[in-house]
Amino acid sequence: MARIVMKFGGTSMADLDRIRNVAGRVKREVEGGNEVAVVVSAMSGTTNRLVGWCQELSPLHDAREYDAVVATGEQITTGLLAIALQHAGVDARSWQGWQVPIQTDGAHGKARIAAIEGAELIRRMQAGQVPVVAGFQGLGPDNRVTTLGRGGPDTSAVALAAALKADRCDIYTDVDGVYTTDPRIVPKARKLDKISYEEMLELASVGAKVLQTRSVELAMNERVRVQVLSSFADMPGTLVVDEDEIVEKEIVSGIAYSRDEAKITVRGVPDRPGIAAAMFGALAAQNVNVDMIVQNISADGMTDMTFTVGTADLPRARSTLADVQPQLGYAEILADPNVSKISVVGVGMRSHAGVANTMFRALADKAINIQVISTSEIKISVLIASDYTELAVRALHTAYGLDGP
Ligand code: ADP
Ligand code: ASP
Ligand code: MG
């Protein structure tokens, strides 16, 4: 007997037939004698529609009200899955984030989980009931509903698994595991039996949306055993494990892309101490995450600053920079939302030279221009025009010898 958290993503919950299919999978685990808690996403497409409505009414909408709107997708699927389970003869009960409660900080729209009260859920699981918990949702210190950012149900599931001291956290999705890159754009991508926490963390953070970054970070810190597997096929998935459990270490283990990037260039900034602190401090105060940054060498005491933010943060970043223009004294702001970030990740980079050069060569051979470069110990990222995203990922997958049969 084991205690298991099962998480089902949007495609797995997309319609009533699929919800019945999910209920069948949950029932099998329960009949196997296990204690089961389920975490669900909204039906695929729902969250996008809700986000779109908020943006249409006001691009700079109040983040508390955004959360009030977008958290509703998961309320629907918790109730529907509980009904489907009851109909299949399984005792089940829905739980919204505020009912558990899943406590978060106050960063509406991208909140972080602070604590989960697990005792009541454990009591019910021990009594044979299946809690169906809304992913994505939390309760903020202001006593209002928060959401955890896109892909948030993964994090809800891992955090719940830690709070319930579960033996496993199974993330059911529409692919049968973690691949060397997104199998939807590279048919020759290979499925990995195991991937290290470090590499998965890095891949997720640069756009491999199969797991939300924060969920991997939590799994690593709380020692949660995570498996990614298909809700449509019966086969083993990919285990996320410690680096020393992986025998064959590749130099590059995966390639990820993110179209969700926007490039901002602030031109004609007076080059004096404190200017970066003032600019990025103002953005941080508005909860805008800044990613890649380059500052040009200055000419005549003036410099240009280029950086990237998530596309969703672009309107807020622009208005924040406009507000501090009198203080910073820059000349103009240029914004380009049509950029993608392409990254190669691998622990082998620590000990091998020439990994970056292979990347630059492969992109040059396809005449793809690199706009910004950034590196970390096990990752190299470049910013390119988004039209070339797929071409770049395929070229790199081949260049690093990752293509499968
Ligand atoms: P869910 O709704 O179940 O959370 P997501 O759409 O968030 O599913 O994540 C699954 C998707 O992640 C896949 O359909 C695939 O297109 C994409 N993906 C990106 N990179 C990878 C990768 N390296 N391995 C597997 N899937 C990936
Ligand atoms: N509501 C979530 C989102 O789109 C659903 C998911 O991650 O699958 O961010
Ligand atoms: Mg997801």
Side-chain angles (χ1 to χ4, degrees):
M1 197 203 84
R3 183 174 293 166
I4 310 167
V5 171
M6 305 171 80
K7 180 259 170 177
F8 294 92
T11 359
S12 312
M13 298 291 291
D15 57 37
L16 297 185
D17 274 337
R18 292 194 178 172
I19 290 175
R20 281 189 201 100
N21 169 60
V22 165
R25 286 196 172 256
V26 174
K27 185 176 179 173
R28 255 199 284 165
E29 294 288 17
V30 172
E31 285 177 345
N34 300 305
E35 291 177 6
V36 180
V38 182
V39 172
V40 293
S41 293
M43 291 176 164
S44 61
T46 300
T47 309
N48 283 343
R49 194 168 61 241
L50 297 169
V51 171
W53 284 341
C54 297
Q55 270 161 355
E56 221 176 295
L57 280 175
S58 163
L60 293 176
H61 48 256
D62 185 326
R64 289 171 201 76
E65 304 311 338
Y66 166 93
D67 279 348
V69 175
V70 301
T72 58
E74 276 75 8
Q75 175 153 349
I76 297 171
T77 45
T78 49
L80 290 175
L81 182 57
I83 291 172
L85 282 166
Q86 290 168 0
H87 186 75
V90 178
D91 185 12
R93 184 60 64 209
S94 68
W95 293 80
Q96 306 312 304
W98 61 268
Q99 288 172 309
V100 175
I102 296 177
Q103 262 145 5
T104 70
D105 65 11
H108 282 276
K110 43 178 108 161
R112 284 168 76 100
I113 296 177
I116 296 183
E117 187 45 72
E120 178 61 14
L121 294 190
I122 291 176
R123 205 182 59 73
R124 298 207 180 203
M125 289 165 81
Q126 285 170 339
Q129 193 175 69
V130 175
V132 181
V133 181
F136 197 45
Q137 304 178 353
L139 180 66
D142 54 359
N143 212 27
R144 305 197 67 89
V145 173
T146 54
T147 63
L148 307 180
R150 302 308 303 270
D154 298 332
T155 302
S156 312
V158 173
L160 193 66
L164 300 179
K165 300 189 173 50
D167 301 293
R168 276 185 1 239
C169 182
D170 289 341
I171 308 279
Y172 286 88
T173 181
D174 56 2
V175 281
D176 56 7
V178 178
Y179 281 70
T180 47
T181 190
D182 188 345
R184 291 191 199 288
I185 70 164
V186 181
K188 287 186 170 175
R190 278 185 293 116
K191 181 172 150 187
L192 304 165
D193 297 330
K194 290 179 180 174
I195 186 165
S196 69
Y197 287 115
E198 290 83 353
E199 286 168 311
M200 191 63 242
L201 183 61
E202 203 82 56
L203 278 172
S205 74
V206 292
K209 64 172 185 155
V210 62
L211 287 175
Q212 198 196 31
T213 309
R214 180 77 186 122
S215 73
V216 187
E217 203 173 53
L218 257 178
M220 190 159 123
N221 293 339
E222 305 282 335
R223 321 300 313 161
V224 176
R225 286 182 65 81
V226 171
Q227 183 179 193
V228 176
L229 66 177
S230 165
S231 49
F232 306 109
D234 272 313
M235 57 172 98
T238 300
L239 281 171
V240 188
V241 298
D242 275 326
E243 198 179 315
D244 48 22
E245 276 189 53
I246 296 178
V247 192
E248 299 240 352
K249 292 195 178 58
E250 310 273 355
I251 297 174
V252 166
S253 55
I255 298 171
Y257 64 92
S258 166
R259 289 194 169 93
D260 177 36
E261 308 285 323
K263 182 177 74 170
I264 298 178
T265 301
V266 186
R267 291 211 37 242
V269 188
D271 194 6
R272 51 179 155 75
I275 207 82
M279 188 181 300
F280 297 115
L283 291 166
Q286 292 302 314
N287 253 320
V288 174
N289 288 335
V290 172
D291 180 18
M292 306 167 110
I293 303 178
V294 275
Q295 183 184 345
N296 281 352
I297 32 172
S298 74
D300 310 322
M302 301 299 244
T303 184
D304 294 341
M305 199 81 96
T306 296
F307 55 91
T308 59
V309 298
T311 345
D313 280 341
L314 184 55
R316 202 172 300 275
R318 291 190 78 136
S319 81
T320 305
L321 291 171
D323 289 346
V324 293
Q325 197 284 332
Q327 183 194 340
L328 295 178
Y330 62 79
E332 64 171 337
I333 296 177
L334 307 171
D336 181 0
N338 298 314
V339 290
S340 286
K341 183 170 69 173
I342 315 290
S343 309
V344 302
V345 170
V347 286
M349 275 182 213
R350 290 194 192 117
S351 47
H352 284 79
V355 181
N357 198 46
T358 303
M359 181 175 203
F360 304 150
R361 188 75 263 151
L363 295 174
D365 287 346
K366 299 285 181 198
I368 299 171
N369 188 43
I370 299 173
Q371 303 182 12
V372 182
I373 301 171
S374 76
T375 63
S376 77
E377 199 188 14
I378 64 165
K379 175 198 77 190
I380 310 160
S381 301
V382 296
L383 199 70
I384 62 169
S386 52
D387 284 350
Y388 297 109
T389 308
E390 303 191 357
L391 180 63
V393 174
R394 291 198 189 113
L396 293 170
H397 200 264
T398 306
Y400 287 106
L402 295 175
D403 288 352

